Amino acid sequence: DITIIFTDIKGFTSFSERHTPQEVVNRLNEYLGAMVQVIEEYDGYVDKFIGDGIMAYWGAPLAQADHAKLAVGCVLAMQKTMSQLCVKWQAEGVEPFTIRAGVQSGEVVAGNVGLRGKKMEYTVIGDTVNQAARLESSAKYYGVSTLVGENAYLRTRDAYQYRELDKIRMVGKQIPITVYELLLSQAAQQDKLYKQFAIALAIYRAGNWGEAENHFAAIVAKFPADHPSKIYLE
């Protein structure tokens, strides 16, 4: 039973096209080094790097009772560290990065995988891993920094703030899961946005399309940067 995160840098492919391989590797090493330090501070296990992406988890190889809260806290700390790196990079005249993350909790198979005697690695495999990876990629669609699956949300909702975003059915699955945005701050304006969004979402799910459209249109007019509201309005 583990919690797993996948992270990715927004726009890293286009950054790579505009810079030399040496510049790309130097920036990537600085970023990965900072993120690994944060993960280790939160007792996480870095499984692998996938290009500019990171796969890490809690609860294996040793069991951790509070692995979900550690993982979500780590994601928030990674976002904070990324902001600090961006300040440094901007002072150096280098374009900053932002990151996306997907988080899910559940059962996996953990152990050594590969060709015995040639190439083996300790890793985790299963539906929970697939969901976390797809949540990270889905965060791009919703325009949010961190998308959290229902299992992880239920284990951490007493410790962190979330906004319910949607119910999604992943490829090859019949039963949908509810997904949530991990909230990074508690600004008064944002709190107002999230409350209005919850009301609009309830109206939408009740099938009152005209009323829902009016509510989401009002949110977009007041908060034009809120991409989830734009999706529902569309």
Side-chain angles (χ1 to χ4, degrees):
D1 182 53
I2 72 162
T3 298
I4 184 168
I5 68 170
F6 281 84
T7 67
D8 191 48
I9 298 176
K10 300 179 188 177
F12 189 77
T13 301
S14 57
F15 171 84
S16 300
E17 292 174 348
R18 297 191 304 272
H19 295 81
T20 67
Q22 290 80 6
E23 290 172 326
V24 171
V25 171
N26 287 338
R27 284 292 297 281
L28 194 55
N29 283 343
E30 184 176 8
Y31 159 73
L32 292 174
M35 295 301 109
V36 168
Q37 281 188 321
V38 175
I39 293 168
E40 290 183 343
E41 286 170 8
Y42 280 78
D43 292 331
Y45 180 87
V46 179
D47 184 273
K48 60 175 65 74
F49 302 132
I50 309 164
D52 60 291
I54 301 172
M55 172 182 169
Y57 47 83
W58 286 254
L62 299 177
Q64 292 167 291
D66 55 350
H67 55 75
K69 290 180 179 178
L70 283 170
V72 174
C74 180
V75 170
L76 288 172
M78 290 170 75
Q79 295 283 6
K80 183 178 180 180
T81 299
M82 195 65 182
S83 297
Q84 294 168 348
L85 277 175
C86 286
V87 171
K88 172 181 177 292
W89 288 333
Q90 285 178 317
E92 295 171 350
V94 183
E95 65 183 280
F97 290 147
T98 54
I99 57 175
R100 283 187 301 266
V103 186
Q104 185 58 302
S105 299
E107 290 188 349
V108 298
V109 173
N112 294 318
V113 174
L115 177 60
R116 191 178 302 277
K118 292 289 186 180
K119 172 66 175 174
M120 298 285 289
E121 67 173 8
Y122 181 89
T123 191
V124 293
I125 290 176
D127 185 53
T128 301
V129 182
N130 296 338
Q131 286 191 28
R134 288 172 178 172
L135 287 169
E136 183 274 312
S137 59
S138 296
K140 180 178 181 180
Y141 170 76
Y142 288 102
V144 299
S145 297
T146 305
L147 202 58
V148 178
E150 192 167 1
N151 290 345
Y153 161 78
L154 291 173
R155 300 178 189 214
T156 59
R157 59 184 173 180
D158 61 331
Y160 302 103
Q161 296 295 313
Y162 294 95
R163 164 167 62 158
E164 181 179 339
L165 279 190
D166 208 348
K167 294 180 183 295
I168 62 175
R169 186 161 58 93
M170 296 187 176
V171 176
K173 294 292 180 181
Q174 295 301 316
I175 301 174
I177 64 167
T178 307
V179 295
Y180 301 81
E181 176 191 7
L182 175 63
L183 306 184
L184 305 181
S185 66
Q186 299 293 309
Q189 278 293 94
Q190 281 189 320
D191 188 54
K192 196 171 184 180
L193 159 64
Y194 300 138
K195 287 179 179 177
Q196 291 178 2
F197 183 89
I199 293 169
L201 183 60
I203 295 169
Y204 175 89
R205 290 205 175 132
N208 299 324
W209 311 121
E211 188 181 354
E213 183 177 356
N214 292 337
H215 273 75
F216 282 116
I219 295 173
V220 170
K222 193 166 185 179
F223 303 95
D226 190 53
H227 196 64
S229 294
K230 293 180 184 177
I231 291 175
Y232 276 100
L233 181 59
E234 183 181 338

